[in-house]
């Protein structure tokens, strides 16, 4: 079974600085997808960024980027120029590329606080 | 598109009562998922459907929980009888079946409190 581990329960960063959130996963599959979701206090789950395992290039979405290390099974999220609105829980998630078996497995999440 | 629509947003009920949570997926999304979120256990997959057919219900905690998807635009999660330990946020999510790197689109969740 796939597992996703987020070992840091919480982090804090000063506004405008950069922060990196860690995630590791375990799988025997070669093809899969990885995601980071943001959950602000409103509790809405918002997709931040996604990465295909077959792509070597790290995904980037504006201030958000990932460091995908397939051999190490590591998928960290870097938030540059942190903003107060980035305060939220962040979940790392994994999905196999097996068609019908398309369920997402989530990590426990990390609470990020951005200080003014 | 209005996104994934869940109702009610909040539900408070007494122990022993029946609770029904509702979900309308995004039109054209063939896969629908029910998750439960608690502080202790995080996000747990309860059940998911492909083309209205339940594929995996191994996450349903016990027989008190049941889920249906009578058509492509509607699903329910029912708890009967409800217990205080069922208190949690219940999310519904949908995605197009087999659509590669497409993530889930989540509803805004139902916060259930059983007293």
């Amino acid at each position: 079974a796939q597992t996703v581990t987020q070992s840091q329960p919480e982090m804090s960063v000063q506004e405008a600085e950069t922060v990196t959130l860690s995630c590791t996963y375990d799988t025997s599959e070669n093809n899969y997808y990885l995601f980071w979701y943001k959950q602000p206090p409103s509790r809405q789950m918002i997709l931040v960024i996604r990465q295909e395992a077959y792509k070597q290039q790290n995904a980037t979405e504006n201030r958000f980027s990932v460091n995908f290390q397939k051999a190490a099974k590591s998928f960290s999220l870097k938030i540059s120029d942190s903003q107060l609105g980035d305060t939220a829980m962040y979940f790392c998630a994994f999905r196999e590329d097996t068609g019908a078996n398309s369920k997402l497995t989530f990590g426990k999440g990390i609470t990020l606080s951005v200080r003014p | 598109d209005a996104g994934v629509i869940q109702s009610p947003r909040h539900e408070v009920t007494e122990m022993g009562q029946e609770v029904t949570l509702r979900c309308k997926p995004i039109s054209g999304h063939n896969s629908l998922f029910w998750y439960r979120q608690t502080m202790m256990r995080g996000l747990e997959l309860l059940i998911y459907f492909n083309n209205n057919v339940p594929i995996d219900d191994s996450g349903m905690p016990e027989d008190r929980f049941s889920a249906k998807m009578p058509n492509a635009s509607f699903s329910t999660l029912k708890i009967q009888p409800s217990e205080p330990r069922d208190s949690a946020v219940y999310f519904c999510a949908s995605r197009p079946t087999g659509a590669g790197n497409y993530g889930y689109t989540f509803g805004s969740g139902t916060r259930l409190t059983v007293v």
Side-chain angles (χ1 to χ4, degrees):
Chain A
Q2 289 75 30
T3 58
V4 178
T5 303
Q6 296 179 252
S7 56
Q8 308 152 302
E10 55 185 71
M11 290 189 73
S12 179
V13 64
Q14 193 74 33
E15 191 176 9
E17 294 189 345
T18 296
V19 63
T20 298
L21 311 182
S22 301
C23 173
T24 58
Y25 57 94
D26 187 28
T27 183
S28 57
E29 300 294 327
N30 190 50
N31 296 322
Y32 49 87
Y33 304 95
L34 295 161
F35 306 85
W36 278 97
Y37 277 85
K38 169 185 178 181
Q39 187 179 40
S42 67
R43 84 169 180 243
Q44 182 69 48
M45 293 286 286
I46 302 165
L47 178 62
V48 174
I49 199 166
R50 73 192 86 192
Q51 174 80 42
E52 297 88 338
Y54 62 84
K55 288 187 176 179
Q56 292 186 331
Q57 186 173 7
N58 289 323
T60 299
E61 289 287 343
N62 301 312
R63 297 183 296 107
F64 298 88
S65 61
V66 299
N67 183 3
F68 173 49
Q69 301 290 328
K70 191 172 183 179
K73 296 180 182 176
S74 171
F75 183 61
S76 60
L77 174 69
K78 186 172 81 171
I79 305 174
S80 303
D81 185 25
S82 297
Q83 300 176 359
L84 297 178
D86 296 333
T87 293
M89 278 202 76
Y90 287 82
F91 293 92
C92 178
F94 168 98
R95 185 174 77 80
E96 290 180 353
D97 182 17
T98 53
N101 182 17
S102 59
K103 59 184 180 183
L104 268 178
T105 300
F106 286 89
K108 292 288 190 185
I110 177 172
T111 300
L112 175 67
S113 299
V114 180
R115 305 186 305 273
Chain B
D1 199 320
V4 177
I5 300 172
Q6 288 188 248
S7 64
R9 183 158 173 83
H10 304 278
E11 177 80 31
V12 180
T13 191
E14 292 185 347
M15 182 174 62
Q17 296 297 307
E18 177 180 295
V19 176
T20 299
L21 311 181
R22 297 172 176 79
C23 175
K24 176 179 169 55
I26 290 175
S27 177
H29 284 195
N30 298 347
S31 298
L32 183 140
F33 307 81
W34 283 100
Y35 278 84
R36 178 172 68 176
Q37 184 179 27
T38 60
M39 288 291 291
M40 290 298 295
R41 301 174 70 90
L43 280 156
E44 303 173 276
L45 177 65
L46 300 177
I47 185 171
Y48 75 97
F49 297 82
N50 276 343
N51 295 317
N52 313 337
V53 176
I55 301 300
D56 183 353
D57 65 354
S58 59
M60 296 285 262
E62 48 198 272
D63 292 346
R64 298 183 298 105
F65 285 70
S66 63
K68 294 182 180 180
M69 192 164 186
N71 57 62
S73 59
F74 184 66
S75 177
T76 59
L77 178 68
K78 185 178 294 185
I79 309 172
Q80 166 64 20
S82 58
E83 297 182 3
R85 60 192 167 119
D86 301 331
S87 297
V89 178
Y90 291 81
F91 285 101
C92 175
S94 70
R95 68 180 294 276
T97 300
N101 66 353
Y102 195 101
Y104 293 9
T105 301
F106 282 80
S108 49
T110 295
R111 179 176 295 279
L112 173 64
T113 303
V114 183
V115 297

